[in-house]
Amino acid sequence: MPRFTVHVRDEWLTVPCKDLTCTVHWLGLEALRRYIKNKPDNGGMGPVQEVRFTLRRCQGQGLLDADDILEDVLEENDFVELMIEGDTMSPDFIPSQPGSSHLYPFFAPSGQYIFLDGKSLATTDLVSLGRGLYKIKLSPEAEKKIAESRELLENIIAENKVVYGITTGFGKFARTVIPTSKLKELQENLIRSHSAGVGKPLSPERSRMLFALRINVLAKGYSGISLNTLHQMIEAFNASCLSYIPEKGTVGASGDLAPLSHLALGLMGEGKMWSPKSGWADAKFVLEAHGLVPISLKPKEGLALINGTQMITSLGAEAVERALAIARQADIIAALTLEVLKGTTKAFDSDIHELRPHPGQKEVASRFRSLLDSDHHPSEIAESHRFCDRVQDAYTLRCCPQVHGVVNDTIAFVRNIINTEINSATDNPMVFAERGETISGGNFHGEYPAKALDYLAIGVHELASLSERRIERLCNPSLSELPAFLVNEGGLNSGFMIAHCTAAALVSENKVLCHPSSVDSLSTSAATEDHVSMGGWAARKALKVVEHVEQVLSIELLAACQGIEFLRPLRTTTPLEKVYELVRSSVKPWIKDRYMAPDIETVHRLLLDQKASDCLTVWKVAFPYIEKYKMEHIPESRPGSPTAFVLDSPASPRKRVRHE
């Protein structure tokens, strides 16, 4: 029989419906009737027929018309929120898709799979999994290792051996032996007590990344989880059944205990859970709606689910991928600004950078040459000031290879650490089936990704620091020879005056956020965990720094394109004209003052690298010209000289994973 799940105040009610030609209003009345049936005071309401209410689908939060027919507007087992007029919204109701990034298209079900084996996942793969571009399967090799590890654990339990976390308590209670009859309860209590995070929940994308990464670690076969439990987790992931995971609460020492416990709690059918189909609801209802059953924890499985650095590392993977994307595009935007400010290209001469051959510096200088070389791409703007008396430019133009270069090298360094961490076993104790023993260690400590992500924030910040100064030069008529704040009729119009202030505000915020989180430590767990990494905050603020950098560079790109308007009919180089055309396809020139925030947001989208999307970005537009120039100037890369990190072509094939 068809049924619907309706949320009334603090309860979720399953309402069967024999006749789908009933109206939405009937569904509300039936849900109310069931709600007040067992309430001593009718829930404080009068007769059901007199209660005024509205209904909203949990998925997308669309309001439902009371007169609509159920079969026309709802699907079987849909989730619906009933709001009683005069009530405040239920404290248990969490708006659909909380914190979901509006910058990426929301994921749709995918028919492609990534095979996880615990050793070949990369940051790009993890971000793609977060966006819902792939589902998950285990490799046959991983299944074999998982089964072997679990068999060893079962033998340990059968022999009544004393092993930390399997037959003992946790942390300070490591010497407390637990009776065999209570080992299941031990694991469940671990999850419930450790689900103590606070703050808003992770977005669906980030929850999927965290979930996928935990599955990848378990796939290594050193955690002792059973194959059945892991398959249940994969089924939940593939259905996008995502637990409520507060973003705050981890100190990144004995793993990201609180976030991973919240992940496990939902899989146990407790707490809240989200799916595209249900929106937020009680976890047991969400699992049931997808034909899934809650996991039942076996000995050691609770510990296997929560020991590890997956919160830090999954957020770090997003941070490093977005940092890589914006660093590439910062070079393009800076080159466009240099053209508008009529700067010189002499500072990018290859011989200069061979004398200081840092990989990132050489790469950035090469990009500037590929975009600005007048022999390849004649520029009327450059030609207009060829014989001026200017010898050199300000540092924020001239020193881009040196400053942007070390940012690129920093990203490459951090990316390597995060990729290593993604494929590392971070449990405790480790189960070594081949040795027939378990060993306690400290791989759960988050210092590696924490330190790396603090370093990432410090490095990437400089892109915005330079960008804000270039925005100042574009807006300041004494430095740019352009109208003040890039607008005609100054005074009547303010142009980019406050857009520059926004950039300055973001750069200033970043200066505070760049204070390293990982230099701090507080002893926890009765001094058992007496040094911690604070990596959760390192990851979250690295992401915030990267986002601010994207926004500042969005403002610079808008300003540089506006500057070109005052140099017309002169044209810049071919690749930079293509970038200008991309911006103008979405944002009109600034003739007079208008609402600016949407323009900044629109350009921000053009800087987000979505590899699996057909959407054009600044990098995708410029990349063919950069690549062609490099191929024509291969001698620049002299034998034996260091090379920069590998540039991924927008159309490059995926590696290290298999698809069905």
Side-chain angles (χ1 to χ4, degrees):
M1 180 186 299
R3 62 181 183 174
F4 305 97
T5 303
V6 185
H7 191 198
V8 183
R9 289 181 173 167
D10 57 347
E11 293 185 12
W12 286 94
L13 305 165
T14 299
V15 181
C17 179
K18 295 180 180 179
D19 184 3
L20 288 177
T21 62
C22 292
T23 65
V24 167
H25 185 68
W26 172 88
L27 178 64
L29 290 176
E30 182 63 16
L32 282 172
R33 186 187 68 78
R34 290 168 177 265
Y35 174 76
I36 68 175
K37 183 177 180 180
N38 297 315
K39 301 288 181 183
D41 61 348
N42 286 342
M45 291 182 278
V48 170
Q49 299 293 338
E50 297 179 6
V51 178
R52 299 174 64 86
F53 60 85
T54 55
L55 291 168
R56 183 190 297 273
R57 289 188 74 193
C58 291
Q59 181 178 359
Q61 298 192 70
L63 280 173
L64 297 168
D65 190 302
D67 296 327
D68 279 343
I69 304 301
L70 290 176
E71 65 181 354
D72 293 338
V73 294
L74 294 176
E75 297 179 8
E76 184 179 348
N77 215 16
D78 258 353
F79 287 67
V80 177
E81 171 78 5
L82 186 148
M83 295 157 287
I84 299 169
E85 189 173 300
D87 268 2
T88 56
M89 184 171 283
S90 164
D92 288 337
F93 179 70
I94 306 166
S96 183
Q97 304 173 23
S100 176
S101 171
H102 59 283
L103 297 173
Y104 294 115
F106 194 68
F107 54 78
S110 170
Q112 292 185 293
Y113 289 82
I114 285 182
F115 282 76
L116 297 187
D117 56 13
K119 58 187 178 183
S120 54
L121 197 65
T123 53
T124 50
D125 306 323
L126 192 56
V127 171
S128 293
L129 284 164
R131 295 180 192 170
L133 302 179
Y134 301 98
K135 293 182 179 179
I136 285 173
K137 286 188 178 181
L138 290 176
S139 70
E141 300 89 343
E143 291 194 343
K144 183 174 181 292
K145 286 187 67 69
I146 292 163
E148 290 171 349
S149 294
R150 187 64 203 179
E151 184 180 358
L152 173 60
L153 272 184
E154 297 292 349
N155 292 336
I156 288 172
I157 296 162
E159 296 169 7
N160 292 317
K161 292 182 179 179
V162 178
V163 179
Y164 172 74
I166 302 173
T167 56
T168 76
F170 312 98
K172 193 69 173 177
F173 298 118
R175 297 183 181 180
T176 303
V177 178
I178 309 299
T180 303
S181 62
K182 294 192 173 182
L183 294 184
K184 181 178 186 294
E185 184 181 355
L186 169 70
Q187 300 300 316
E188 291 173 345
N189 286 345
L190 173 71
I191 300 301
R192 291 168 183 144
S193 65
H194 285 45
S195 296
V198 297
K200 68 180 182 180
L202 296 180
S203 68
E205 297 96 328
R206 291 173 183 170
S207 294
R208 279 178 60 92
M209 288 174 65
L210 174 62
F211 199 172
L213 186 51
R214 191 62 210 166
I215 292 171
N216 188 61
V217 171
L218 296 172
K220 289 188 74 68
Y222 294 96
S223 305
I225 197 165
S226 69
L227 200 52
N228 179 62
T229 298
L230 189 50
H231 279 152
Q232 284 184 273
M233 294 175 65
I234 291 171
E235 287 175 354
F237 176 88
N238 289 341
S240 288
C241 294
L242 308 174
S243 302
Y244 181 98
I245 307 172
E247 64 178 5
K248 300 176 185 178
T250 177
V251 294
S254 195
D256 292 318
L257 293 175
L260 289 169
S261 294
H262 280 277
L263 171 63
L265 189 71
L267 296 171
M268 289 167 54
E270 300 180 24
K272 300 294 180 185
M273 187 173 265
W274 181 94
S275 81
K277 177 178 181 179
S278 67
W280 284 108
D282 290 351
K284 59 183 178 181
F285 290 119
V286 178
L287 292 171
E288 185 180 346
H290 292 82
L292 305 174
V293 296
I295 60 175
S296 178
L297 296 178
K298 303 175 184 67
K300 211 274 186 182
E301 289 194 324
L303 193 59
L305 292 177
I306 69 173
N307 252 172
T309 61
Q310 283 67 60
M311 169 84 154
I312 306 170
T313 309
S314 60
L315 297 183
E318 181 187 341
V320 81
E321 285 299 309
R322 288 175 67 173
L324 178 59
I326 196 59
R328 292 165 169 169
Q329 293 174 113
D331 298 340
I332 300 167
I333 295 166
L336 183 59
T337 296
L338 183 137
E339 270 284 271
V340 172
L341 294 175
K342 299 181 178 179
T344 177
T345 60
K346 292 184 181 295
F348 311 120
D349 189 287
S350 60
D351 285 344
I352 290 178
H353 300 284
E354 284 296 337
L355 299 178
R356 196 192 193 195
H358 292 294
Q361 178 175 331
K362 291 176 62 179
E363 181 66 33
V364 172
S366 174
R367 287 179 190 163
F368 270 76
R369 291 193 299 276
S370 69
L371 296 167
L372 296 169
D373 192 325
S374 58
D375 290 338
H376 281 72
H377 313 295
S379 166
E380 294 173 349
I381 294 175
E383 189 64 29
S384 71
H385 62 92
R386 179 180 294 276
F387 302 107
C388 71
D389 58 0
R390 183 181 300 174
V391 177
Q392 57 188 21
D393 297 310
Y395 287 4
T396 52
L397 297 169
R398 191 194 336 164
C399 298
C400 281
Q402 291 78 6
V403 181
H404 287 202
V406 73
V407 175
N408 285 335
D409 288 341
T410 298
I411 294 167
F413 170 80
V414 175
R415 198 185 196 195
N416 183 60
I417 286 181
I418 296 299
N419 276 327
T420 300
E421 191 74 9
I422 282 174
N423 296 295
S424 297
T426 54
D427 293 86
N428 185 53
M430 297 288 191
V431 181
F432 292 92
E434 64 276 14
R435 292 174 56 172
E437 63 179 318
T438 64
I439 305 175
S440 289
N443 277 5
F444 48 63
H445 200 295
E447 197 75 5
Y448 258 103
K451 278 282 188 282
L453 292 169
D454 279 336
Y455 183 32
L456 180 72
I458 292 168
V460 176
H461 159 72
E462 294 303 331
L463 297 176
S465 185
L466 266 65
S467 177
E468 181 275 328
R469 288 293 79 202
R470 292 193 296 265
I471 296 169
E472 156 69 11
R473 303 191 78 82
L474 287 166
C475 291
N476 189 333
S478 65
L479 300 173
S480 68
E481 301 177 6
L482 298 170
F485 305 111
L486 302 171
V487 70
N488 288 320
E489 295 188 82
L492 175 63
N493 295 299
S494 296
F496 281 71
M497 181 187 295
I498 304 305
H500 174 232
C501 289
T502 298
L506 295 174
V507 169
S508 185
E509 281 190 31
N510 274 2
K511 291 174 184 176
V512 176
L513 291 171
C514 283
H515 177 82
S517 170
S518 60
V519 299
D520 187 28
S521 177
L522 283 173
S523 180
T524 60
S525 193
T528 302
E529 300 163 5
D530 57 346
H531 181 273
V532 301
S533 72
M534 297 300 178
W537 176 225
R540 288 193 293 116
K541 67 186 184 65
L543 267 172
K544 182 58 67 175
V545 168
V546 172
E547 182 181 20
H548 287 169
V549 170
E550 292 168 350
Q551 291 165 334
V552 172
L553 282 159
S554 300
I555 294 171
E556 182 186 357
L557 179 54
L558 265 178
C561 288
Q562 180 64 15
I564 284 182
E565 306 299 339
F566 297 103
L567 301 179
R568 290 304 193 209
L570 301 180
R571 296 176 63 82
T572 182
T573 65
T574 303
L576 294 180
E577 281 290 339
K578 293 294 184 183
V579 172
Y580 168 85
E581 290 169 8
L582 175 64
V583 173
R584 285 290 172 253
S585 69
S586 302
V587 179
K588 296 178 181 179
W590 197 269
I591 306 302
K592 61 180 181 179
D593 281 352
R594 64 173 187 262
Y595 183 21
M596 181 172 275
D599 290 354
I600 298 172
E601 183 62 27
T602 297
V603 173
H604 189 183
R605 293 170 187 269
L606 299 179
L607 300 181
L608 292 170
D609 189 8
Q610 302 175 54
K611 291 183 175 61
S613 170
D614 293 331
C615 298
L616 286 176
T617 64
V618 168
W619 175 250
K620 287 181 180 178
V621 165
F623 178 80
Y625 298 93
I626 294 172
E627 192 69 1
K628 185 173 185 291
Y629 182 90
K630 288 176 68 175
M631 294 302 295
E632 293 174 354
H633 291 76
I634 289 176
E636 285 186 350
S637 301
R638 297 170 184 174
S641 64
T643 56
F645 60 87
V646 177
L647 279 172
D648 295 325
S649 163
S652 65
R654 298 173 53 76
K655 301 181 179 69
R656 299 178 299 279
V657 295
R658 291 179 286 162
H659 308 285
E660 283 191 348

